[in-house]
Amino acid sequence: MLSKKSQYAFKALSYLVEKRNDGPILISEIAEHKKIPLKFLENILLELKKAEILDSKKGKGGGYFLKENPEDVKLAKIIRLVNGPIAMLPCVSLNFYQKCDDCNEDHCGLHDVLIEVRDASLNILESKTLMDLVD
């Protein structure tokens, strides 16, 4: 399931994509228009800035803006940054793999099915970008 944090990240990013030609956008404006708690949004935007998806400008006319072209930012990247693994089980995760304590991956039907689910999800999330959120 997509966390509330991820949902807020996508709402904020879609707003920044829509306003990308308006210059830096204040956090308070994003929070107000997208109904996101301000403190929660501050943390999310800082994470996205550390990942170099966003940048910010201080002072008059300051705020956050997209550092990367929204057509180049895959939705899978945002989910991994904000939410963590896309896979439903750690034993099928490509980037956050962990062997399950009580599972034999060679003979686990659930493992095999969830690999298919992961691959289908990734196929979509790796082909969609931030631009797809506003188009």
Side-chain angles (χ1 to χ4, degrees):
M1 183 173 2
L2 203 57
S3 69
K4 197 61 137 173
K5 184 178 179 183
S6 292
Q7 292 175 45
Y8 287 157
F10 282 125
K11 284 182 178 188
L13 287 166
S14 65
Y15 189 75
L16 289 169
V17 170
E18 290 170 353
K19 300 287 188 178
R20 66 188 175 280
N21 297 323
D22 296 352
I25 306 295
L26 293 172
I27 295 177
S28 58
E29 179 181 334
I30 300 167
E32 181 182 331
H33 281 19
K34 291 298 182 174
K35 308 284 188 264
I36 303 170
L38 187 62
K39 282 290 184 196
F40 203 8
L41 181 59
E42 287 175 352
N43 292 329
I44 293 167
L45 296 183
L46 279 175
E47 275 186 59
L48 294 170
K49 183 179 177 184
K50 286 179 188 173
E52 299 191 359
I53 291 166
L54 298 179
D55 206 349
S56 64
K57 180 181 172 191
K58 294 183 179 186
K60 186 175 180 178
Y64 278 90
F65 57 93
L66 293 164
K67 185 172 183 178
E68 288 193 40
N69 182 336
E71 294 174 347
D72 296 333
V73 181
K74 306 292 185 192
L75 299 185
K77 180 178 182 176
I78 303 302
I79 291 173
R80 285 184 180 120
L81 282 169
V82 178
N83 203 58
I86 292 171
M88 296 174 80
L89 283 177
C91 66
V92 299
S93 180
L94 295 174
N95 294 310
F96 299 90
Y97 174 84
Q98 288 183 345
K99 183 168 177 39
C100 294
D101 295 333
D102 57 349
C103 182
N104 179 354
E105 292 172 14
D106 295 331
H107 298 89
C108 178
L110 183 59
H111 171 86
D112 298 342
V113 169
L114 290 181
I115 284 178
E116 289 182 52
V117 171
R118 177 206 65 203
D119 291 346
S121 297
L122 279 176
N123 186 40
I124 295 166
L125 294 170
E126 290 288 355
S127 69
K128 299 294 183 181
T129 68
L130 291 179
M131 283 302 289
D132 292 306
L133 298 177
V134 298
D135 285 347

